[in-house]
Amino acid sequence: MQDNINSVVKTKDGSNTLFSQKYNQHYHNPDDGAINESLSKHILPTFQYHKEKDELTILDICFGIGYNTFTTLLYVKNNNQSKKINIYSPELDGNLVSSLENFNFPKEFEEIKHIIKEVAINKKYEDENIKIEVNIGDAREYIKTLEKNSFDIIYQDAFSSEVNQELWTKEYFDDIYKLCKQDCVMSTYSVATPIRLSMNEAGFYIYEYRPVKRKITLASKIKKTILGKFIDMDLKRQRNKEAKAIYDKSNN
């Protein structure tokens, strides 16, 4: 368990996030807002893609303050969707997850306060429509234990590759690829070419999507034009010979 000293920061939409002293980064962009960021960069594009499915299994990398997971629950409820939602999420900082019982979440989360408390205390929650499991530990090790071809959605939301490179390498995405169902879609805030190359070398097709003002990346195992603007990574390589994917240090 980590014992990071994080400071609370209010974001543009009124929701609070944290600034990580360990990684020297905010958990969410203060200018976007924590709830808005979860919705626009992860939930809206992936749920639109899977709008016909009655059950979704989601891998939330990494849990952090839980906004992606908790906002997903609110989105389903507020849009009267009858989907069953299963969310699995690794998180290195167990003390952070435990502290969420007393975190000052926005008023929108009041109706799921009992879920937040259960996750903070027991690192899991389950009822007839919702299953949440948070695994405290190394994400790279955790994803190796998950069932292959079982996920509909991946929220790729780790700290940036500058400070958390191990969760953006080609080898990491190799393992993520194995977890994806054939029609799985992965979302991430990062649009950096090295990261897109890492995903692509692991087998993913790459798309650019602009939900609001900031572009994001969507990735899939199969080519789908409905995801957004297709990015031809072979052409990227031809045009930019210096661009390289990110690899595990042991393989460099």
Side-chain angles (χ1 to χ4, degrees):
M1 280 188 158
Q2 303 290 300
D3 192 19
N4 299 333
I5 300 173
N6 299 309
S7 51
V8 177
V9 178
K10 186 172 285 294
T11 70
K12 194 171 183 179
D13 65 5
S15 55
N16 291 322
T17 190
L18 294 175
F19 181 81
S20 170
Q21 302 296 334
K22 177 181 178 180
Y23 291 105
N24 197 33
Q25 289 184 357
H26 291 95
Y27 278 81
H28 304 86
N29 189 323
D31 292 333
D32 292 337
I35 290 180
N36 286 337
E37 186 169 292
S38 292
L39 279 170
S40 64
K41 297 180 180 178
H42 297 289
I43 299 164
L44 291 176
T46 58
F47 271 66
Q48 173 63 22
Y49 180 66
H50 285 308
K51 60 185 177 183
E52 305 300 330
K53 286 195 174 184
D54 295 326
E55 181 173 359
L56 291 173
T57 301
I58 301 167
L59 179 60
D60 182 7
I61 306 269
C62 296
F63 190 78
I65 318 172
Y67 270 101
N68 290 339
T69 289
F70 299 141
T71 305
T72 295
L73 304 185
L74 281 188
Y75 175 79
V76 170
K77 185 178 186 303
N78 293 341
N79 287 276
N80 297 313
Q81 297 187 7
S82 57
K83 297 181 189 296
K84 180 170 173 28
I85 301 295
N86 311 298
I87 302 178
Y88 298 83
S89 184
E91 173 54 49
L92 190 62
D93 192 344
N95 293 326
L96 172 61
V97 180
S98 297
S99 75
L100 298 183
E101 182 181 1
N102 300 309
F103 187 75
N104 187 17
F105 282 110
K107 64 183 186 303
E108 289 91 339
F109 282 14
E110 194 65 31
E111 57 190 305
I112 58 169
K113 198 170 183 180
H114 63 291
I115 298 177
I116 295 173
K117 182 177 181 179
E118 187 78 16
V119 170
I121 295 172
N122 297 316
K123 312 301 179 284
K124 60 184 178 181
Y125 173 87
E126 188 167 3
D127 61 31
E128 60 181 8
N129 295 313
I130 298 166
K131 181 177 182 179
I132 300 170
E133 288 188 5
V134 179
N135 180 273
I136 306 303
D138 187 298
R140 291 288 296 264
E141 295 304 314
Y142 174 64
I143 61 176
K144 288 181 170 67
T145 70
L146 297 172
E147 185 180 347
K148 305 294 188 288
N149 304 308
S150 61
F151 287 90
D152 301 285
I153 293 171
I154 312 287
Y155 296 154
Q156 173 61 23
D157 202 22
F159 283 112
S160 76
S161 59
E162 287 79 14
V163 296
N164 200 11
Q165 180 175 308
E166 63 270 23
L167 296 185
W168 298 96
T169 66
K170 185 265 184 187
E171 293 84 359
Y172 162 77
F173 287 118
D174 281 338
D175 289 335
I176 291 293
Y177 188 90
K178 295 171 187 173
L179 300 178
C180 295
K181 293 180 181 177
Q182 196 66 12
D183 61 350
C184 177
V185 59
M186 175 166 59
S187 58
T188 182
Y189 63 87
S190 179
V191 295
T193 296
I195 287 169
R196 287 177 169 179
L197 286 170
S198 297
M199 293 177 174
N200 183 241
E201 289 189 16
F204 288 101
Y205 291 98
I206 307 300
Y207 301 84
E208 190 164 274
Y209 186 78
R210 190 191 292 269
V212 195
K213 60 182 178 179
R214 300 181 195 277
K215 297 174 183 176
I216 65 168
T217 297
L218 298 175
S220 65
K221 291 178 85 168
I222 54 177
K223 198 169 182 181
K224 284 283 187 181
T225 55
I226 62 169
L227 282 178
K229 178 187 175 185
F230 174 69
I231 304 297
D232 187 334
M233 298 308 295
D234 289 332
L235 186 60
K236 283 271 187 186
R237 292 181 182 90
Q238 292 173 19
R239 291 178 172 175
N240 186 356
K241 303 290 187 185
E242 302 301 313
K244 303 292 182 187
I246 302 170
Y247 301 99
D248 286 347
K249 289 180 180 179
S250 59
N251 293 334
N252 284 347

